[in-house]
Amino acid sequence: MRKTLRSDLETGSRRRDELLAAAEQLIVERGLSALTVDDVTGRAGVAKGTFYIYFSAKGELLAALRERYAAAICAEQERALAELPAEDHGGRLDRWVAEAIGAHLEHERLHDALFHHELPADAIKTGVTAANPQLDLLERILGAGAAAGAFALADVETATALLYGAMHAAVDLLLDRGQRPLDVDRVLSATQRFARGAVGADAAG
Amino acid sequence: MRKTLRSDLETGSRRRDELLAAAEQLIVERGLSALTVDDVTGRAGVAKGTFYIYFSAKGELLAALRERYAAAICAEQERALAELPAEDHGGRLDRWVAEAIGAHLEHERLHDALFHHELPADAIKTGVTAANPQLDLLERILGAGAAAGAFALADVETATALLYGAMHAAVDLLLDRGQRPLDVDRVLSATQRFARGAVGADAAG
DNA sequence: ACCTGAACACCGTTCAAGT
DNA sequence: ACCTGAACACCGTTCAAGT
């Protein structure tokens, strides 16, 4: 019996965990764009080549980190939701939102590195934080509707950002080829209903 | 008068435009992760060093492309919206959503490269398309509420994706340090109202 | 004023050799 | 079976020299 207690799946070696932990530390300390295989192995106290025994490429480590992070957050959410009665659907939704935002904020740097839309870091450092005209347009639409009393919005600025994010999610959903082909019309009309509800548009429009 | 007609700002040289065009072609053809300064200058028919006369770094080119792309889409949207009466707020919102999704779908590859959450491309090729447990959780919440009649949702799957995108947008909003500090509570409650509206939660919750 | 392209530095990946 | 680290390939960036 040479088998270890842990499974032999790539997912389960101690070395691998050490490399993951080292990478997570380094990302938090210095950011994703500064992350180097050399640094990771250095921090973990092994030779560079060892990295490729446990990961086929740097990208695989990042994917694994992301997965681990999402799983951890999710476990926390499950716990929080367990406190609420199953019939309190609105309350459960509120709680999901609060927990999700809270968890990501707690792990700021990591969230940023693993989930934020990522351009090579220099783009930001160079200070080219482009104003987004599409966002401005949406904000004007929402602002006008709110002013006219057609939308029930206390916070136009936040709603604009959220709706923009939702719209991008719709696009991503449609572009994600791995899935069975989704009906564009279906997603579109679902998004429009979603948007109307989110801004509190009255039935008349 | 040696000055050219075009402004001398870095934004406005013909060479620069040629480099941008070359980069856009190459991204559409081969994807962002295959984009090389060498290829860009090769396609544009200039020497490698020329690139750095017009851009301080590769990231600056990407930022410029993104800006150009967003501006183009926005111009199209403005045109479409001009056809609708200013008082038809719900209609204008519908139109914004439809145009935004449509435009991004038309330029699939480019959208993907410039806006999609980006891990080094190998992560995806390696097939580690991690199932996201957080998404599953949200889908269960929405599904349960819909089944109970507490939420008015025709398409739970799509709504889940959109709400998840909106939630991430809220986090990004809070993490974006450049801005004046936003109140976490304000964003949180705005997000919760947004979510309730989007899923058609009845007033009772 | 603009362009060139060789040279440099850095970093992801491989592999023959070690235990 | 696991580890090593030198070597390789690739690519972003610089710069002295050209027109």
Side-chain angles (χ1 to χ4, degrees):
Chain A
M1 281 290 260
R2 317 293 304 276
K3 266 183 162 308
T4 6
L5 284 174
R6 310 177 137 276
S7 102
D8 274 3
L9 291 175
E10 55 172 7
T11 316
S13 106
R14 173 184 282 105
R15 250 310 123 75
R16 193 182 147 101
D17 287 343
E18 288 166 1
L19 290 168
L20 283 169
E24 188 174 313
Q25 284 173 29
L26 287 166
I27 288 174
V28 171
E29 287 172 23
R30 309 180 198 166
L32 180 58
S33 59
L35 190 73
T36 273
V37 173
D38 228 338
D39 289 341
V40 172
T41 51
R43 175 71 61 103
V46 296
K48 210 178 178 184
T50 302
F51 185 91
Y52 293 90
I53 299 174
Y54 297 96
F55 302 96
S56 70
K58 191 185 174 188
E60 195 185 308
L61 170 130
L62 293 177
L65 264 187
R66 197 165 161 164
E67 200 167 344
R68 227 173 62 143
Y69 174 66
I73 284 182
C74 198
E76 225 174 296
Q77 288 180 311
E78 296 267 22
R79 213 160 15 82
L81 284 175
E83 297 169 5
L84 293 177
E87 332 79 60
D88 181 12
H89 300 286
R92 291 172 72 80
L93 181 57
D94 286 346
R95 191 63 169 263
W96 183 88
V97 171
E99 289 288 328
I101 291 182
H104 282 128
L105 288 181
E106 253 177 51
H107 307 285
E108 245 185 87
R109 303 278 317 228
L110 205 56
H111 162 89
D112 224 60
L114 298 177
F115 286 98
H116 206 285
H117 294 253
E118 181 95 3
L119 283 186
D122 329 18
I124 293 127
K125 282 180 202 147
T126 325
V128 203
T129 325
N132 185 337
Q134 234 189 329
L135 256 181
D136 295 344
L137 174 57
L138 180 57
E139 186 159 356
R140 271 181 279 132
I141 295 171
L142 296 190
F151 300 159
L153 279 176
D155 185 342
V156 170
E157 191 187 351
T158 303
T160 301
L162 302 194
L163 196 46
Y164 188 75
M167 182 276 292
H168 264 286
V171 174
D172 291 346
L173 199 63
L174 287 169
L175 290 186
D176 200 356
R177 305 307 198 55
Q179 320 263 25
R180 68 184 173 294
L182 285 170
D183 190 6
V184 176
D185 289 339
R186 176 188 139 196
V187 171
L188 176 55
S189 69
T191 305
Q192 288 171 335
R193 278 189 55 177
F194 181 98
R196 280 185 176 245
V199 303
D202 43 34
Chain B
M1 281 290 262
R2 316 294 304 274
K3 267 185 159 310
T4 5
L5 283 176
R6 308 177 137 277
S7 99
D8 273 3
L9 291 174
E10 55 172 6
T11 317
S13 106
R14 171 183 284 102
R15 249 310 123 73
R16 194 182 147 101
D17 288 343
E18 288 166 2
L19 290 167
L20 283 169
E24 187 175 313
Q25 285 173 30
L26 287 166
I27 289 175
V28 171
E29 287 171 23
R30 308 181 200 165
L32 180 58
S33 59
L35 189 73
T36 273
V37 172
D38 230 339
D39 289 340
V40 173
T41 51
R43 175 69 61 101
V46 296
K48 210 179 179 183
T50 302
F51 184 91
Y52 292 91
I53 298 175
Y54 297 96
F55 302 96
S56 70
K58 191 185 175 189
E60 195 185 308
L61 171 131
L62 293 177
L65 264 187
R66 198 164 159 166
E67 200 169 342
R68 225 172 64 141
Y69 175 65
I73 284 182
C74 197
E76 225 174 294
Q77 288 180 309
E78 297 266 21
R79 215 160 12 82
L81 284 176
E83 297 170 5
L84 294 177
E87 332 79 58
D88 182 12
H89 300 286
R92 292 171 71 79
L93 181 57
D94 285 347
R95 192 63 169 262
W96 183 88
V97 170
E99 289 288 327
I101 290 183
H104 281 129
L105 288 180
E106 253 178 51
H107 308 285
E108 243 184 270
R109 304 276 318 226
L110 204 55
H111 163 90
D112 225 60
L114 297 177
F115 287 99
H116 206 284
H117 292 252
E118 181 98 4
L119 282 186
D122 329 20
I124 293 129
K125 282 180 202 147
T126 326
V128 202
T129 325
N132 185 337
Q134 233 189 329
L135 256 181
D136 295 343
L137 175 57
L138 180 56
E139 184 158 358
R140 272 181 279 132
I141 295 171
L142 295 190
F151 300 158
L153 278 176
D155 185 342
V156 170
E157 191 186 352
T158 304
T160 301
L162 301 194
L163 197 47
Y164 188 75
M167 181 275 293
H168 264 286
V171 175
D172 290 346
L173 199 62
L174 287 168
L175 290 185
D176 200 356
R177 303 308 197 56
Q179 320 262 23
R180 67 183 174 293
L182 285 170
D183 190 6
V184 175
D185 289 339
R186 176 188 139 196
V187 171
L188 176 55
S189 69
T191 305
Q192 288 170 334
R193 279 189 53 177
F194 181 98
R196 280 185 176 246
V199 303
D202 45 32

